[in-house]
Amino acid sequence: MRIGIIGATGHVGSAVFKEAQSRGHEVTALVRDGSKAKKLFGEGTPVIEKDALSLEAADLNQFDVVVDAFASQKPYQHLDLATKLISLFRNDDQTRLMFIVGSSSLKKADGTRMLDDVLKMFANEPWIATPIQQVHEVDYLQWVDNVNWSALSPQVNFVPGEKTQYRIGTDEVMENKAGKQEVSFGNFAGALVDELENPQHYQQRFTVVDD
Amino acid sequence: MRIGIIGATGHVGSAVFKEAQSRGHEVTALVRDGSKAKKLFGEGTPVIEKDALSLEAADLNQFDVVVDAFASQKPYQHLDLATKLISLFRNDDQTRLMFIVGSSSLKKADGTRMLDDVLKMFANEPWIATPIQQVHEVDYLQWVDNVNWSALSPQVNFVPGEKTQYRIGTDEVMENKAGKQEVSFGNFAGALVDELENPQHYQQRFTVVDD
């Protein structure tokens, strides 16, 4: 499968890149700094060196899947990239879009969103705009019914670690066997590439937890 | 004031164009068919001939205000143009964006949205996607706090007619003295250009009704 990963050199993007590469897919890094990608993934790594928000249809429509692993210091850019990618692929059956969206959009058993808790605890933190914008991104995606999109959320504890065993769910927070809401980068990448190889969540958000 | 109007040759766009032109503003038509604009507004009318969704910052940042009066047969394009315009003007203090958004996003006295009624009555009509997407557009705009935007909604009866007397409100449906939810194109254009000349609704949607 031809996979393009926006933000491939980030923590999460690089885990997804390596997982897809290890399974034999043809993976391209869509990044600002191509040399960093070649250092991480090998000299022969295909690279498109561009700001994420400058990517155009011509850069992207060569791929079977575009993974949005973009991380920005400007939180609104998460939403802007999502709306741009969607608008580029309206009524396009060829390319699938896979978004990585924060855990704050997951629901608790009582139906409220994790974001409600986060806002209660951290309303004045400088990083609060990021979970807010990522929740907007998930809300926005629910409106889109003519693009082949999916979105994967981690758990609130999203930590370095290899692929081991994991379970997936849909819109609710999940816990590992020790009762902790946690997923490793490796397990997250495993679940994401599983979904690319065997699509189960068409126009849906899903989530993954360490077993 | 330098005003660019996307969709200037449509029913609403042309009413706004003529109103702004009559008040001495420097108005440019951003349209697919420039000859139609020159026929409507005069041979000397400044025109940018482009598909709305192909407009770029370089086309738009010459204006003090960009008015989005775009109408499309593809309802999702209303949302796509809004998200594109917003992303082009993030953290830009120079250019104001004025969106024209459907009446279905207005609230009734009981707090429910006009769209709820519309969906009950017309869920299977082919045009139902347009009010749905325009409501999404209003919801999306609420998330945007770093762009100088405003949005104006007509009433459910949005009809040809000259400028007479009108009243404005914010998020609720309004009635004329005869108890009808109605506004003429002329009164709508009057209220819109009033707002451009004397800004009262920063990052807000407002509405207008015939007196």
Side-chain angles (χ1 to χ4, degrees):
Chain A
M1 204 179 293
R2 291 163 306 166
I3 303 173
I5 303 182
I6 303 172
T9 53
H11 290 309
V12 187
S14 61
V16 174
F17 194 106
K18 286 173 184 168
E19 178 69 20
Q21 198 179 37
S22 76
R23 298 197 201 181
H25 296 294
E26 195 183 311
V27 198
T28 298
L30 307 169
V31 290
R32 272 183 309 180
D33 182 353
S35 64
K36 193 173 169 191
K38 288 178 185 289
K39 217 169 284 172
L40 277 170
F41 311 124
E43 262 314 304
T45 301
V47 164
I48 295 177
E49 202 175 54
K50 236 180 180 180
D51 277 337
L53 285 156
S54 303
L55 291 164
E56 293 300 338
D59 300 313
L60 299 173
N61 55 23
Q62 63 185 294
F63 301 112
D64 300 307
V65 183
V66 174
V67 177
D68 176 1
F70 177 60
S72 172
Q73 296 300 312
K74 298 175 180 167
Y76 63 83
Q77 291 192 333
H78 294 104
L79 182 58
D80 285 357
L81 182 59
T83 61
K84 178 167 188 177
L85 292 173
I86 289 292
S87 72
L88 291 177
F89 288 99
R90 293 283 191 183
N91 295 317
D92 181 313
D93 292 335
Q94 302 303 309
T95 300
R96 185 175 180 194
L97 300 179
M98 172 66 70
F99 296 92
I100 296 173
V101 291
S103 60
S104 290
S105 57
L106 292 171
K107 283 180 188 159
K108 297 187 296 176
D110 66 6
T112 62
R113 269 178 156 167
M114 290 296 286
L115 182 67
D116 301 330
D117 291 4
V118 174
L119 284 172
K120 267 177 215 154
M121 292 186 287
F122 305 110
N124 298 315
E125 295 292 330
W127 50 260
I128 196 73
T130 296
I132 289 173
Q133 292 294 326
Q134 291 196 338
V135 167
H136 293 334
E137 186 178 343
V138 174
D139 285 342
Y140 164 79
L141 288 171
Q142 307 303 316
W143 302 337
V144 177
D145 60 5
N146 59 358
V147 176
N148 183 357
W149 67 267
S150 304
L152 179 56
S153 292
Q155 303 303 316
V156 60
N157 295 297
F158 192 20
V159 296
E162 297 301 303
K163 184 170 73 169
T164 52
Q165 299 289 318
Y166 47 90
R167 288 174 278 125
I168 65 165
T170 54
D171 273 323
E172 281 199 22
V173 295
M174 299 178 79
E175 295 179 352
N176 65 14
K177 283 178 178 156
K180 206 169 175 191
Q181 294 166 17
E182 185 163 291
V183 67
S184 69
F185 294 163
N187 283 337
F188 183 91
L192 192 150
V193 181
D194 288 348
E195 172 71 23
L196 298 189
E197 294 180 343
N198 180 20
Q200 301 288 318
H201 297 92
Y202 177 73
Q203 294 177 348
Q204 270 194 317
R205 187 268 302 277
F206 63 112
T207 188
V208 55
V209 68
D210 292 346
D211 190 38
Chain B
M1 205 179 293
R2 291 162 305 165
I3 302 173
I5 303 182
I6 304 173
T9 54
H11 291 308
V12 188
S14 61
V16 174
F17 194 106
K18 286 174 184 169
E19 178 69 20
Q21 199 178 37
S22 77
R23 298 198 201 180
H25 297 294
E26 196 184 309
V27 198
T28 298
L30 306 169
V31 290
R32 271 184 310 181
D33 181 354
S35 64
K36 194 174 169 190
K38 287 177 185 290
K39 216 168 285 173
L40 277 169
F41 311 124
E43 261 315 303
T45 301
V47 164
I48 296 178
E49 201 175 54
K50 237 180 179 181
D51 277 336
L53 285 156
S54 303
L55 291 164
E56 294 299 338
D59 301 313
L60 300 173
N61 54 23
Q62 62 185 294
F63 301 112
D64 300 306
V65 182
V66 174
V67 177
D68 176 1
F70 177 60
S72 173
Q73 296 300 313
K74 297 175 181 169
Y76 62 84
Q77 290 191 334
H78 293 104
L79 182 58
D80 285 358
L81 183 59
T83 61
K84 177 165 188 180
L85 291 173
I86 289 291
S87 71
L88 291 177
F89 288 98
R90 293 283 192 184
N91 295 316
D92 180 313
D93 292 333
Q94 301 304 308
T95 300
R96 184 176 180 194
L97 301 179
M98 173 64 71
F99 296 93
I100 296 173
V101 291
S103 61
S104 289
S105 57
L106 292 171
K107 283 178 187 159
K108 295 187 297 177
D110 67 4
T112 62
R113 270 178 155 165
M114 290 295 287
L115 181 66
D116 301 330
D117 291 3
V118 174
L119 284 172
K120 268 176 215 155
M121 291 186 288
F122 304 111
N124 298 316
E125 295 293 328
W127 49 262
I128 195 73
T130 296
I132 290 173
Q133 292 294 326
Q134 291 197 338
V135 168
H136 294 334
E137 187 178 343
V138 174
D139 285 342
Y140 164 80
L141 289 170
Q142 307 303 316
W143 303 337
V144 177
D145 60 4
N146 59 359
V147 176
N148 184 356
W149 67 266
S150 305
L152 179 55
S153 293
Q155 302 303 316
V156 62
N157 295 298
F158 192 20
V159 296
E162 297 303 302
K163 183 170 74 166
T164 53
Q165 299 289 318
Y166 47 89
R167 288 173 279 125
I168 65 164
T170 53
D171 274 322
E172 280 199 22
V173 294
M174 298 178 80
E175 294 180 352
N176 64 14
K177 282 177 180 158
K180 205 169 178 191
Q181 295 165 16
E182 184 163 291
V183 68
S184 69
F185 295 163
N187 282 337
F188 183 90
L192 191 149
V193 181
D194 288 348
E195 171 72 23
L196 299 188
E197 294 181 343
N198 180 20
Q200 301 288 319
H201 297 92
Y202 178 72
Q203 296 177 346
Q204 269 194 319
R205 186 269 302 279
F206 63 112
T207 188
V208 56
V209 69
D210 292 345
D211 189 38

